[in-house]
Amino acid sequence: MIEEYRRFATLKELLTAVKESESEFLLLSGGTEIHRQAGSSVRAENSAVCLSLEGLGLDTIEKKGNSVTIGAMVTLQQLIDHTDVPEFMKEAALFAASRTLRNMATLGGNIAAFRDDSYLLPTLIAAKARIVTAELDDRGAIDTEDMPLREYVDNIDAFRMSVVTKIVLNKPERYVYAKRYSRTRQGVPDIIVAFGALCSEGRLSDVRTAAAGLGIGIQRLKSVDKLFELEPQISNEKLEEAVRREVHTAGSPFASAEYQQYLAAVTIADMASACRKHLEGGQLQ
Amino acid sequence: MNVACRINGKERSFEANPSESVQQVLSRLGYITVRNSDDGEGFCGSDTILVDDVPQYASLLRPFQIEGKQITTAESLVNGRHLSVVQQAMVDAGVVQSGYNAPAAALLLTSLLEEHAHPSTEQISDALSGLFNRATGYKQFFQAVRIAEQRLANPDYTEEIAPEFRDDLRQVGKVRQKIDGKKLVAGWKSFVEDMVEPGTSVLRMLRSPHAHAYISRIDTSQAEQLPGVLAVITHKNCPDVYYGTAGQGFPEPSPYDRRMFNKKVRHVGDRVAAVVAESDEIAAEALNRIEVDYEVLQPIFSIDQAMQPDSPLVHNGLVEYVSGAPEDLDGYNESADPRDGKVVYQFPIHGDIRHNIAAAASGSIGDVQTGFAAADTVIERTYETSQVQCTPLETHISYAKFDGDRLILHASTQVPWHLRRIVATALGISENMIQVIKERVGGGYGSKQDILLEDVTAYAASITGTPVLYRFSRAEEFTANSTRLPMKIGVKLGCDKTGKLTAVSMDVKANTGPYGSHCLTVPMNACSKSLPLLMCEHMQFQVTSYYSNIPPTGAYQGYGAPKGSFALMTAMGELAAQMNMDLVKLLEINRVRDDSLLEILKCLGEGREGTAVRVKSCGLGPALQQGAHKISWDTTEHSDIPHEKIGKGVAIIQQGSGLPGLDHSCAEVKMLSDGSFMLHSGGADLGTGLDTVSVKFAAEVLQVDMERVSILSGDTDNTPFDTGAYASSGTFFSGGASKKAAEQLKQKILQAASGFLDEPVEHLHIEYPGLVKDSYGNEISYREIAQRTQSGTGSGQLTGYASFTTEDASFPYGAHFCQVAVNERTGEIRVQKYIALQDCGTPVNPELALGQIYGGVLKTIGHSLSEQMVLDQQGTCLTTTMRTYGVPMISEMPDTFEAVLIPTDDPYGPFGSKSVSEISCNGAAPAISIAIHDAVGVWMRDWPFTPEKLLRALGKI
């Protein structure tokens, strides 16, 4: 049950409240994941205090040079509507197929909820996005940490007392593609697959692959990424085999583990093929 | 906490609980258009509001999130009693049917048009992407937006909404506004929840965690001691009466196999105890305090399990027969376990509960062995269908209170009179002590033909003396609502070299689940609404219905027909493929047509003796011809997308128009003192426009505008008897009764006028807009006739009363064509085109008929491709939300989606009409299955046709 909510004038006040919180608390951005009664991993009934991120200036999108910085309170619909947001991020935001939901759900909320079926995280991993978090240090000063998103994903438990404040997309040269398989656009996903790479100097490099919706959290397929470094011209068959070996799937009531593995394999292979085709054509999309 | 914000332009300040949703708060404050359909899932959109002009789900907001904000609800759209441009356009386009979230839709579209004066198709889809519409399938929203867009610039703008029919008629076949459309889209009080008075107690149900178990101990004392708890009802203190939930004609063909609460629970979610309390919170706490011990039994979930010789028995109690008991009944009952209670059959339906058989039937014409022997090609296949949910936006709800000693039930039901009978039976009181008031129904689709909560709500009110409200949660809809029966259907077809069928055999095995509501009639309907599509001398069928421990089953739009059609039509597709013959040609050779004699119906009564029927009107010829042209049937399509193949499919379908010899409707029309009319109809409009049909018929007969006829319907005290809205009976029976009553009144008007004009009746006729003329040009208005008859010296108020029954049958027919794109690599299936051509006789409400076709088709595209109730090994439903269950939304609508009305003039239907709604559910599964085969060469024989199943069929996994 939410017994109390609190708003703050500054980020520091919020971080102070986080640090000093003695009872369980919830950081509230859009609230769609927190308040959703069904299917949510975070149940509002479990927490007594809601700490709101609203009004802290975290709802801006700024472009400087090749870098786009997106505040945690930017809604998924604002991502779609903003001209400076890369196309792949807009497509990921559209994985939330309900516009009404997109009007409410936020970038920061979707990341922090860290759901297995996250709309955005696989794409952000493939894009090699950076994440900025904030917490209070021992002296009471704001300690911001600007790190690759993969670090955040790999060490999520270490950031329980941190607040996600922004995401930075600073690699516009990357080809990023993601696909969400589900029976209906708003249905639960059978799997979400994301692929990102640099396409230059005649080959794919700096590949990042991720899969989600598999019942066991978001996965980076590190050995698949490594394989591209070792064998840039790897065949589709070999790539599919590597993905099958790497991806861990639990299966779900709606999709068997075997099916999820198959989709992960063929989708990453197809994305790599598509990337190569663009490369041959001399331009990226 | 205190919250201050602006709501619809006015400053509001109110107290709210921080953990309650904004939907709950706004509803409590009187903004009733902000409705709850999904318990905070953020899916259905019935709770849509604007927060600082941006659409949001109120159920996903907490009060502090609207502090200082500008809130807009759909209440803001109307101006006094006048609809906004958008609302009016929605009514005109026919998109408001059950209407539960029509106000939310109007709010979304208003917001869209404020942002984009001329929105694109994509923008309209996007705006509605967060709104679930089960009734009308989204298509007509696009037309509504176009109309509104034009009218905002030119208020006088009009356009052709839908094709119109019957030039000889003034109202019937013409586009008119649905008479309750304004009320529904405006969001005025319409539904049961809107009638609840302060001080009403709530009922909550403790449900079984086990699929099959005896309740060995239940202790409710701790719950009863909780302050605010008024009653706890269990198998120990409920009425010792057996009944069924199926709202069918009496005596029902379904067995009475349950009490209000039973000692044995038969599915996860079965009733264990009901708590009646002063508040929801107290009721929830009381449920936690009830202690229950179970003796858990082995459950069975499938037909195959139920058929095993040593299978656990779902019902092993005493069997009784009201009539026709077999001679060896005592011996049969020797092995009964008293903890299982009883199964009472009204008459024999070949049930054998000691083998889990709830009902069985068989029949044949000709000699199928001879027919198969004469065949050049024989195929034999088995098809399976899964359990699917109705998912009405308004979950099941019942509000019971007492007026003196009389029970008043406000109900969202398709069957007010059956409801009254069953509740009277359950409570052991006579029917005159109960009034059922059917409110507007926010979606039923068959599931509100069953009495799922009214019995216990009424009993709770009777023992506590307080008004009681019980509303299913969305999760309860998935665990305790009736669903489409899963089936396993064997089909064997034989045909000669020319494609002429020589023999047809169907073996239908149905899984009726824990109780036997509709256990005989649904599977028989799978045969009776599919076999008569084909003309064959030799036919046979076998129907067996098995008990199991899956969630309950029952009626669902289409009844058994969607399953029978899937099996039989897909088998026809397989036969055509095997013979290398064009499917449309094969269907054309064998299909039913005008004047066909349907011999097979001799064996397919709905729980009674059937009769052979001659078809009086059949639009299948033009439907097949036009459909084939529209979808370019003879052209092979190719896709530019890698791995994607395109295929086309077709199915012919039929339904009935009520149940001749079983259904019964009555109506009364009264002339009011100014010459206008009041129609009292027993019909239960569940959102489809039955009231509009009835008013149209009366207005047509009496030659007045529809505005001169008002209607009251579905009120057991104030309107005459009607069996209810099921079996596609509304237009034919309830509408037929209204027409007949108006015709009787017309004769009385003419007789009265004869006296006033001093002319014989034969020389008189009525004329629009409500007057009687003689052959010399003399005339008298209805107003004057009314005044004279209702004066102190007159004959008294003129009324017409009719009771409508018939032995004549009218069958709607249809041909559904579709085109699918199938990705061989990923298994993805997309319906690109869907053309539904339907013969509903004279389309009475053309725009509403189209909406029902779109709704039925999209619903069953969902059944075919995505919707699935998944049970775990213990029988717990894992798909208790809209997202997990997989209902189709606007994004799943086919790119090309067209409904075509094929008019025929049926001699039996009122003004030549036939039914339209249910039939539209029968074509999607077979047409899609056949199209998938056309695309990638594999047959999908069990729905839903998921990508995973397709990949397995293709050998990819």
Side-chain angles (χ1 to χ4, degrees):
Chain A
M1 295 287 286
I2 298 174
E3 292 170 0
E4 185 187 356
Y5 87 96
R6 294 176 65 188
R7 269 188 189 160
F8 306 93
T10 66
L11 180 62
K12 187 171 182 180
E13 285 182 21
L14 167 67
L15 296 173
T16 304
V18 168
K19 186 162 186 157
E20 293 175 353
S21 179
E22 292 179 355
S23 59
E24 196 176 348
F25 65 90
L26 282 173
L27 289 170
L28 187 76
S29 43
T32 54
E33 301 295 352
I34 288 173
H35 295 145
R36 183 177 279 170
Q37 295 299 302
S40 174
S41 58
V42 186
R43 299 297 294 265
E45 286 79 358
N46 297 336
S47 297
V49 183
C50 249
L51 308 178
S52 173
L53 274 68
E54 193 176 357
L56 302 179
L58 300 176
D59 54 355
T60 59
I61 299 174
E62 294 173 4
K63 184 172 186 184
K64 284 184 186 168
N66 284 332
S67 179
V68 179
T69 302
I70 307 170
M73 286 294 283
V74 169
T75 67
L76 302 192
Q77 187 57 39
Q78 287 169 335
L79 289 176
I80 292 166
D81 293 339
H82 203 284
T83 52
D84 292 334
V85 173
E87 202 56 37
F88 64 79
M89 275 303 289
K90 294 175 190 274
E91 289 175 9
L94 279 167
F95 288 163
S98 159
R99 184 183 178 121
T100 310
L101 191 73
R102 293 197 304 271
N103 288 334
M104 307 174 73
T106 62
L107 171 81
N110 195 254
I111 292 169
F114 209 70
R115 285 176 60 94
D116 176 59
D117 59 352
S118 168
Y119 300 119
L120 304 179
L121 275 171
T123 294
L124 289 169
I125 290 169
K128 293 192 74 175
R130 297 187 71 81
I131 187 169
V132 180
T133 63
E135 63 181 302
L136 279 194
D137 65 17
D138 293 339
R139 293 167 299 166
I142 296 177
D143 179 14
T144 60
E145 190 160 358
D146 180 343
M147 69 196 117
L149 183 68
R150 62 181 159 79
E151 276 187 37
Y152 177 84
V153 170
D154 290 346
N155 303 287
I156 185 67
D157 289 338
F159 296 98
R160 290 295 178 203
M161 300 301 284
S162 299
V163 173
V164 175
T165 59
K166 56 186 101 164
I167 284 286
V168 181
L169 300 168
N170 58 0
K171 298 176 179 62
E173 69 281 14
R174 286 184 72 76
Y175 172 96
V176 179
Y177 190 77
K179 180 146 184 174
R180 181 180 192 271
Y181 291 94
S182 59
R183 292 187 193 176
T184 61
R185 283 197 58 202
Q186 295 200 36
V188 290
D190 293 334
I191 185 172
I192 304 165
V193 182
F195 176 92
L198 282 175
C199 303
S200 60
E201 300 167 9
R203 66 188 187 92
L204 303 184
S205 62
D206 203 11
V207 171
R208 289 287 181 274
T209 53
L214 300 167
I216 48 175
I218 294 153
Q219 292 177 57
R220 289 183 52 216
L221 307 179
K222 293 176 186 172
S223 68
V224 174
D225 299 349
K226 190 83 175 168
L227 203 54
F228 279 96
E229 289 176 25
L230 301 171
E231 205 175 334
Q233 299 304 324
I234 184 173
S235 70
N236 268 5
E237 291 71 22
K238 261 182 109 170
L239 180 55
E240 285 183 34
E241 185 52 42
V243 174
R244 279 178 205 260
R245 272 200 312 271
E246 172 83 352
V247 72
H248 299 284
T249 58
S252 76
F254 323 101
S256 71
E258 185 186 13
Y259 168 60
Q260 290 174 325
Q261 276 183 330
Y262 169 85
L263 280 183
V266 300
T267 305
I268 286 175
D270 287 351
M271 288 172 175
S273 291
C275 202
R276 288 193 185 102
K277 275 187 187 168
H278 287 303
L279 196 59
E280 289 161 11
Q283 53 178 265
L284 298 177
Q285 288 185 352
Chain B
M1 63 178 293
N2 186 267
V3 178
C5 60
R6 285 177 72 81
I7 304 178
N8 297 337
K10 291 181 182 170
E11 298 292 344
R12 294 292 303 259
S13 177
F14 48 87
E15 286 297 315
N17 182 327
S19 61
E20 67 182 334
S21 75
V22 169
Q23 185 275 326
Q24 290 169 312
V25 173
L26 290 173
S27 180
R28 196 177 64 241
L29 292 174
Y31 300 96
I32 63 169
T33 64
V34 189
R35 300 191 184 277
N36 170 31
S37 285
D38 56 23
D39 297 339
E41 188 188 352
F43 188 94
C44 294
S46 305
D47 55 339
T48 302
I49 59 172
L50 305 184
V51 179
D52 289 343
D53 297 328
V54 177
Q56 302 200 6
Y57 295 125
S59 299
L60 284 182
L61 291 169
R62 294 298 174 265
F64 55 81
Q65 291 178 285
I66 61 170
E67 172 72 31
K69 302 282 174 67
Q70 170 87 32
I71 304 302
T72 309
T73 73
E75 275 86 356
S76 66
L77 301 179
V78 289
N79 179 11
R81 310 253 346 135
H82 299 287
L83 297 181
S84 71
V85 168
V86 169
Q87 289 171 316
Q88 187 60 56
M90 286 174 60
V91 176
D92 289 348
V95 79
V96 180
Q97 295 219 6
S98 55
Y100 192 73
N101 65 8
L107 192 63
L108 283 165
L109 295 180
T110 303
S111 171
L112 170 71
L113 286 166
E114 282 173 2
E115 192 176 353
H116 305 284
H118 303 289
S120 66
T121 299
E122 291 72 25
Q123 287 169 327
I124 297 169
S125 286
D126 193 40
L128 293 172
S129 58
L131 188 91
F132 179 48
N133 180 308
R134 196 65 152 169
T136 60
Y138 301 102
K139 171 80 175 179
Q140 291 161 308
F141 278 112
F142 295 89
Q143 187 175 21
V145 173
R146 297 299 172 215
I147 293 170
E149 182 183 332
Q150 295 292 329
R151 283 186 188 157
L152 286 168
N154 172 16
D156 298 326
Y157 176 80
T158 58
E159 67 176 38
E160 181 185 293
I161 304 285
E164 296 193 335
F165 301 89
R166 295 288 299 265
D167 292 342
D168 58 320
L169 301 176
R170 186 178 297 277
Q171 311 293 351
V172 173
K174 310 301 179 293
V175 174
R176 300 284 185 268
Q177 293 175 27
K178 187 167 181 276
I179 61 171
D180 55 348
K182 179 178 182 180
K183 174 179 173 174
L184 291 168
V185 77
W188 294 330
K189 287 186 175 183
S190 302
F191 300 101
V192 171
E193 68 197 60
D194 303 333
M195 310 304 162
V196 178
E197 296 164 5
T200 295
S201 302
V202 298
L203 188 151
R204 269 205 180 199
M205 192 68 71
L206 180 67
R207 295 190 175 278
S208 170
H210 303 292
H212 199 190
Y214 292 115
I215 297 171
S216 53
R217 185 184 73 91
I218 184 163
D219 182 350
T220 59
S221 56
Q222 293 297 314
E224 287 162 359
Q225 287 165 18
L226 192 67
V229 170
L230 305 177
V232 181
I233 311 167
T234 70
H235 73 88
K236 290 180 171 177
N237 59 358
C238 74
D240 187 20
V241 177
Y242 285 82
Y243 53 98
T245 62
Q248 296 178 295
F250 181 81
E252 301 101 320
S254 302
Y256 291 2
D257 53 9
R258 72 179 97 191
R259 299 159 82 235
M260 193 175 288
F261 292 85
N262 301 289
K263 192 172 175 63
K264 189 181 199 184
V265 289
R266 294 182 170 90
H267 67 96
V268 173
D270 207 351
R271 291 177 180 179
V272 173
V275 167
V276 188
E278 290 172 356
S279 75
D280 206 38
E281 293 72 25
I282 296 170
E285 173 58 26
L287 289 184
N288 289 331
R289 295 185 177 203
I290 297 174
E291 296 175 11
V292 190
D293 292 338
Y294 297 94
E295 179 187 334
V296 178
L297 306 170
Q298 177 71 34
I300 53 172
F301 302 116
S302 69
I303 292 167
D304 289 342
Q305 287 175 322
M307 289 173 65
Q308 293 301 312
D310 56 350
S311 174
L313 298 180
V314 178
H315 287 266
N316 191 28
L318 285 173
V319 173
E320 294 178 0
Y321 287 81
V322 174
S323 66
E327 289 181 1
D328 61 345
L329 186 58
D330 289 343
Y332 187 79
N333 279 332
E334 279 177 4
S335 61
D337 187 325
R339 294 175 299 174
D340 279 53
K342 287 195 285 193
V343 176
V344 181
Y345 288 102
Q346 301 301 302
F347 48 86
I349 54 171
H350 306 289
D352 178 5
I353 64 167
R354 312 283 178 238
H355 294 91
N356 285 318
I357 295 173
S362 61
S364 64
I365 56 170
D367 177 2
V368 289
Q369 298 312 320
T370 302
F372 284 121
D376 296 303
T377 305
V378 175
I379 66 158
E380 191 166 5
R381 303 284 187 271
T382 301
Y383 303 90
E384 292 191 53
T385 66
S386 64
Q387 191 170 22
V388 287
Q389 263 292 343
C390 296
T391 63
L393 279 163
E394 178 206 34
T395 59
H396 285 70
I397 185 168
S398 174
Y399 174 44
K401 62 184 180 185
F402 273 80
D403 177 14
D405 286 332
R406 293 192 78 225
L407 172 67
I408 315 295
L409 270 170
H410 294 269
S412 178
T413 181
Q414 299 172 221
V415 287
W417 276 266
H418 295 325
L419 167 55
R420 183 177 68 176
R421 187 187 72 246
I422 291 170
V423 169
T425 301
L427 269 60
I429 59 178
S430 57
E431 291 185 23
N432 67 300
M433 298 305 290
I434 303 173
Q435 179 187 13
V436 175
I437 303 170
K438 181 203 76 72
E439 307 294 353
R440 293 293 103 185
V441 178
Y445 317 116
S447 69
K448 290 177 181 171
Q449 191 191 339
D450 276 54
I451 313 310
L452 300 180
L453 37 52
E454 293 89 347
D455 56 338
V456 68
T457 316
Y459 185 63
S462 75
I463 60 173
T464 62
T466 65
V468 176
L469 174 71
Y470 182 24
R471 178 174 185 160
F472 274 6
S473 66
R474 180 54 66 186
E476 278 181 303
E477 285 289 318
F478 283 99
T479 54
N481 183 14
S482 55
T483 57
R484 210 184 272 303
L485 281 79
M487 287 189 185
K488 194 170 185 176
I489 304 177
V491 178
K492 186 175 179 183
L493 301 175
C495 78
D496 64 20
K497 287 190 175 68
T498 68
K500 179 68 184 160
L501 289 168
T502 59
V504 179
S505 172
M506 278 181 91
D507 178 15
V508 177
K509 294 182 175 65
N511 186 342
T512 193
Y515 299 103
S517 292
H518 308 271
C519 66
L520 175 67
T521 43
V522 167
M524 284 197 76
N525 190 269
C527 301
S528 67
K529 299 298 186 286
S530 62
L531 288 174
L533 282 161
L534 303 173
M535 302 313 298
C536 180
E537 192 179 344
H538 307 291
M539 285 185 166
Q540 75 170 19
F541 67 89
Q542 170 77 39
V543 163
T544 317
S545 200
Y546 294 91
Y547 282 121
S548 77
N549 299 110
I550 62 172
T553 67
Y556 195 153
Q557 188 176 4
Y559 217 51
K563 294 154 278 195
S565 298
F566 166 53
L568 192 60
M569 284 297 120
T570 308
M572 287 295 282
E574 297 208 41
L575 180 64
Q578 184 149 327
M579 295 178 66
N580 201 23
M581 178 182 263
D582 176 71
L583 177 56
V584 171
K585 184 179 174 188
L586 183 68
L587 293 172
E588 189 58 48
I589 289 170
N590 292 289
R591 71 172 174 83
V592 63
R593 53 199 75 224
D594 282 344
D595 213 36
S596 294
L597 183 63
L598 307 178
E599 294 270 5
I600 189 67
L601 292 184
K602 282 192 297 194
C603 331
L604 282 161
E606 291 261 349
R608 62 164 203 155
E609 193 73 20
T611 54
V613 176
R614 193 167 293 283
V615 174
K616 292 295 183 182
S617 65
C618 175
L620 274 178
L624 279 168
Q625 192 179 18
Q626 290 180 36
H629 175 72
K630 280 176 178 289
I631 207 153
S632 302
W633 178 254
D634 295 327
T635 305
T636 301
E637 314 289 344
H638 300 283
S639 171
D640 294 333
I641 298 171
H643 311 294
E644 187 173 88
K645 300 287 166 52
I646 310 295
K648 296 175 185 175
V650 61
I652 56 172
I653 52 176
Q654 71 150 102
Q655 200 78 30
S657 298
L659 304 170
L662 286 171
D663 284 344
H664 188 165
S665 297
C666 303
E668 183 178 33
V669 195
K670 298 175 183 173
M671 180 179 251
L672 307 184
S673 57
D674 63 351
S676 62
F677 299 94
M678 186 68 208
L679 169 60
H680 287 186
S681 162
D685 187 340
L686 68 153
T688 53
L690 175 57
D691 283 351
T692 306
V693 166
S694 295
V695 166
K696 265 190 181 179
F697 285 173
E700 189 72 56
V701 169
L702 296 165
Q703 286 295 297
V704 292
D705 286 324
M706 288 171 64
E707 291 72 22
R708 300 284 287 173
V709 183
S710 291
I711 185 168
L712 175 70
S713 64
D715 179 328
T716 57
D717 268 16
N718 297 303
T719 64
F721 175 81
D722 191 295
T723 39
Y726 58 92
S728 295
S729 62
T731 296
F732 198 83
F733 277 83
S734 304
S738 295
K739 176 174 180 277
K740 198 172 166 186
E743 286 168 342
Q744 192 193 70
L745 176 56
K746 176 183 165 183
Q747 285 308 311
K748 290 185 178 178
I749 290 170
L750 288 171
Q751 282 165 5
S754 169
F756 301 141
L757 293 174
D758 199 22
E759 282 289 327
V761 168
E762 309 83 74
H763 293 175
L764 302 179
H765 65 278
I766 64 169
E767 273 193 13
Y768 174 84
L771 45 89
V772 180
K773 278 188 175 177
D774 67 15
S775 47
Y776 305 106
N778 299 313
E779 64 182 44
I780 183 168
S781 69
Y782 284 179
R783 174 186 286 270
E784 194 172 346
I785 293 171
Q787 286 170 349
R788 289 207 201 178
T789 53
Q790 293 177 27
S791 70
T793 57
S795 59
Q797 185 177 34
L798 298 182
T799 65
Y801 174 86
S803 164
F804 185 91
T805 59
T806 184
E807 290 292 336
D808 297 324
S810 295
F811 303 101
Y813 291 101
H816 285 199
F817 289 78
C818 75
Q819 177 176 310
V820 301
V822 183
N823 190 310
E824 289 182 306
R825 187 156 166 85
T826 62
E828 292 165 293
I829 302 163
R830 189 161 48 91
V831 180
Q832 294 180 316
K833 296 182 181 176
Y834 201 104
I835 319 286
L837 305 100
Q838 287 191 194
D839 150 28
C840 57
T842 299
V844 180
N845 304 319
E847 79 283 23
L848 300 182
L850 290 173
Q852 281 161 40
I853 296 170
Y854 290 126
V857 168
L858 190 61
K859 194 180 292 143
T860 42
I861 287 176
H863 299 173
S864 304
L865 295 177
S866 60
E867 295 181 35
Q868 192 172 13
M869 286 176 64
V870 180
L871 306 185
D872 69 12
Q873 291 186 339
Q874 285 70 48
T876 302
C877 184
L878 302 174
T879 50
T880 57
T881 65
M882 294 297 204
R883 288 177 79 234
T884 54
Y885 173 66
V887 289
M889 302 284 273
I890 197 167
S891 49
E892 278 69 45
M893 197 177 81
D895 303 332
T896 300
F897 197 15
E898 186 178 2
V900 180
L901 299 169
I902 306 285
T904 56
D905 187 9
D906 189 84
Y908 300 133
F911 295 107
S913 61
K914 301 191 267 191
S915 75
V916 67
S917 172
E918 288 198 275
I919 182 176
S920 52
C921 291
N922 299 347
I928 292 171
S929 170
I930 291 165
I932 291 171
H933 175 264
D934 187 45
V936 296
V938 296
W939 287 104
M940 303 300 288
R941 298 193 182 101
D942 64 312
W943 84 30
F945 317 134
T946 63
E948 179 168 357
K949 284 182 189 171
L950 182 67
L951 289 171
R952 290 191 188 283
L954 289 167
K956 299 291 177 78
I957 53 175

